[in-house]
Amino acid sequence: MEATKTTVLCFCSVLFFLTDVSCELVHVRSLVHFGTEGRPLLLSVEARFPLEEAEIQGTWSHTKLNGARTTLVSFNKESEIMNMMYLKHLRFRHPNASLLIVKLNKDDEGYYHLSLNIEFYNQTGLIIKEERTIYVTVDEPVSTPVIEKKPSYAVIEDKANVTWTCSVEKGTRVVFQWLRDNTALTPSKRYHFIQDNSTLLISPVRKEDKGIYRCAASNPVSQIRKSRGVELNVYYGPYNLEVNSGQGLRTGEVFTINPGELVYFECQADSNPPNSYVWISKSRNATQIITEGPRLEVLSYKLAQTEEYMCRAFNNVTKKQDEAQFTLVVASLGTGGWRAEFGRKEQSVGCFWESFKINT
């Protein structure tokens, strides 16, 4: 079994050397490592051949992002020679040539290059070269983000802009994200993300922008952390003004009520802050304010057969208003009206039919 294994490995090595067919003798679990500042990091190497059947020589080197390259350690199966500048900072791991960085700092960022020469004892003179490059980043974990809004007070829609800023006390390579009512926000004509998304400008503010805002921060070594929620209060309206009543019969903007009936009308509109309402009676000769507030009470016996009314909603902050007009008609809607009359006609037709049958 061992002889077969060795033969296969030798064949694989020769095939790799002669044809460049991928037959991996050295495996690195990850070619990118996201390291945390102040913590250890192991650059793990796995030999996929029997180490006792080969001689190895190799080096680990480090290339910084500015291009400066340093040899860290040279080694063979029996020993290693560590760069004196890194004796306390690095640990070489036999037998697989793994490298441990004891305590990461920002200077450790960059590319770590492993170069290996492998010579199998039964293939003397055949040197197989294996190389791997690992990219290492070093980041400080992100602290809880802090959110700020300017201006800090409520704003009027279409008349103001709002600037949100998000900051962290600690953290590198921070990625910021903005949420309103726990829904992620994306760029639009009014939503502008600047300074690597740490600032959100809403210009201009609209009604739909109201809600609870949070910013989220993360980086390669930190899970997403969210700020406290801050409310954006927007003054708007009035919108969608309507007059309604639970009594009588409504057809479009015409309400029909029974004579002598007491009827209530409700005037409603979407607005922040709530609107002030006035009810106005309209006639050919005059327009008169009859009451204030969202509710109108009408005694039909005091009315003419037809009256014109209007509800006016006014927002004291936005200085906007809206109006809804309607006509009130006093006419019989009860059983004594159309339904009773229909019954009498039906009864007359029945009597006529019976009389016709007797006479014939």
Side-chain angles (χ1 to χ4, degrees):
M1 182 68 181
E2 284 296 318
T4 302
K5 180 178 179 183
T6 303
T7 301
V8 171
L9 286 168
C10 290
F11 174 77
C12 181
S13 301
V14 173
L15 183 65
F16 176 81
F17 179 75
L18 295 177
T19 66
D20 199 32
V21 174
S22 179
C23 194
E24 192 176 50
L25 297 178
V26 175
H27 176 68
V28 174
R29 292 181 182 178
S30 176
L31 297 180
V32 179
H33 284 274
F34 300 107
T36 302
E37 188 172 0
R39 301 189 65 179
L41 178 66
L42 177 65
L43 305 181
S44 178
V45 179
E46 179 185 346
R48 292 188 169 178
F49 62 92
L51 289 169
E52 68 275 8
E53 296 184 9
E55 185 63 54
I56 62 171
Q57 290 181 337
T59 60
W60 274 102
S61 62
H62 176 218
T63 303
K64 294 184 178 182
L65 298 180
N66 62 9
R69 181 165 183 163
T70 303
T71 298
L72 303 176
V73 59
S74 300
F75 60 89
N76 58 29
K77 283 176 61 174
E78 289 75 30
S79 62
E80 75 274 356
I81 301 175
M82 183 72 69
N83 185 324
M84 292 183 64
M85 299 294 293
Y86 295 89
L87 287 175
K88 294 183 179 181
H89 193 56
L90 301 175
R91 297 287 184 272
F92 181 77
R93 295 278 182 91
H94 284 289
N96 288 337
S98 297
L99 186 67
L100 174 68
I101 304 173
V102 177
K103 188 177 181 180
L104 283 169
N105 58 56
K106 292 298 292 182
D107 287 337
D108 293 321
E109 279 200 336
Y111 298 90
Y112 289 78
H113 185 73
L114 170 65
S115 179
L116 273 179
N117 294 324
I118 305 170
E119 181 182 25
F120 287 94
Y121 294 138
N122 61 355
Q123 295 286 333
T124 304
L126 179 61
I127 308 298
I128 301 171
K129 190 173 185 65
E130 293 276 338
E131 294 188 350
R132 300 289 185 272
T133 299
I134 302 172
Y135 179 57
V136 173
T137 65
V138 181
D139 287 295
E140 180 185 32
V142 172
S143 59
T144 300
V146 176
I147 188 174
E148 184 179 0
K149 175 173 66 78
K150 291 183 179 180
S152 59
Y153 46 82
V155 294
I156 301 174
E157 71 167 348
D158 293 321
K159 293 184 178 180
N161 301 331
V162 170
T163 301
W164 297 91
T165 57
C166 186
S167 60
V168 293
E169 187 176 281
K170 296 180 180 179
T172 52
R173 271 188 281 263
V174 182
V175 176
F176 295 98
Q177 186 179 32
W178 291 93
L179 304 100
R180 182 184 66 239
D181 297 332
N182 293 320
T183 299
L185 299 175
T186 57
S188 67
K189 290 182 178 180
R190 296 188 301 107
Y191 281 47
H192 308 279
F193 298 88
I194 54 180
Q195 296 179 354
D196 295 327
N197 275 19
S198 64
T199 300
L200 166 61
L201 170 64
I202 306 176
S203 176
V205 172
R206 299 265 173 84
K207 167 194 169 183
E208 57 266 28
D209 299 325
K210 63 186 178 71
I212 303 298
Y213 284 73
R214 289 180 173 84
C215 71
S218 63
N219 71 359
V221 297
S222 304
Q223 293 183 343
I224 294 176
R225 306 194 70 173
K226 294 181 180 179
S227 70
R228 66 184 180 91
V230 176
E231 183 179 10
L232 174 58
N233 189 14
V234 180
Y235 294 135
Y236 63 88
Y239 294 125
N240 306 317
L241 181 63
E242 287 187 350
V243 175
N244 292 295
S245 176
Q247 300 160 272
L249 175 66
R250 180 174 183 174
T251 306
E253 302 307 317
V254 178
F255 291 87
T256 304
I257 60 175
N258 284 313
E261 188 174 8
L262 177 61
V263 183
Y264 298 97
F265 293 93
E266 296 286 342
C267 193
Q268 295 177 331
D270 185 16
S271 178
N272 181 39
N275 298 300
S276 58
Y277 297 93
V278 294
W279 294 87
I280 299 170
S281 174
K282 301 178 67 178
S283 65
R284 293 181 181 178
N285 299 326
T287 298
Q288 179 182 1
I289 295 177
I290 53 178
T291 189
E292 296 181 359
R295 195 176 196 191
L296 172 66
E297 178 182 298
V298 177
L299 298 171
S300 61
Y301 66 84
K302 293 185 177 181
L303 302 178
Q305 189 174 7
T306 302
E307 293 280 351
E308 299 288 334
Y309 289 94
M310 180 174 66
C311 172
R312 178 180 293 157
F314 180 73
N315 186 315
N316 293 311
V317 176
T318 66
K319 306 303 180 184
K320 295 180 180 179
Q321 69 178 35
D322 197 5
E323 297 175 347
Q325 300 186 49
F326 64 97
T327 302
L328 184 58
V329 177
V330 179
S332 179
L333 295 173
T335 56
W338 179 83
R339 292 178 183 174
E341 187 64 27
F342 178 80
R344 285 194 293 272
K345 289 182 180 179
E346 185 179 41
Q347 185 178 17
S348 298
V349 171
C351 292
F352 170 78
W353 177 247
E354 290 296 329
S355 174
F356 174 78
K357 289 194 294 182
I358 293 171
N359 292 334
T360 55

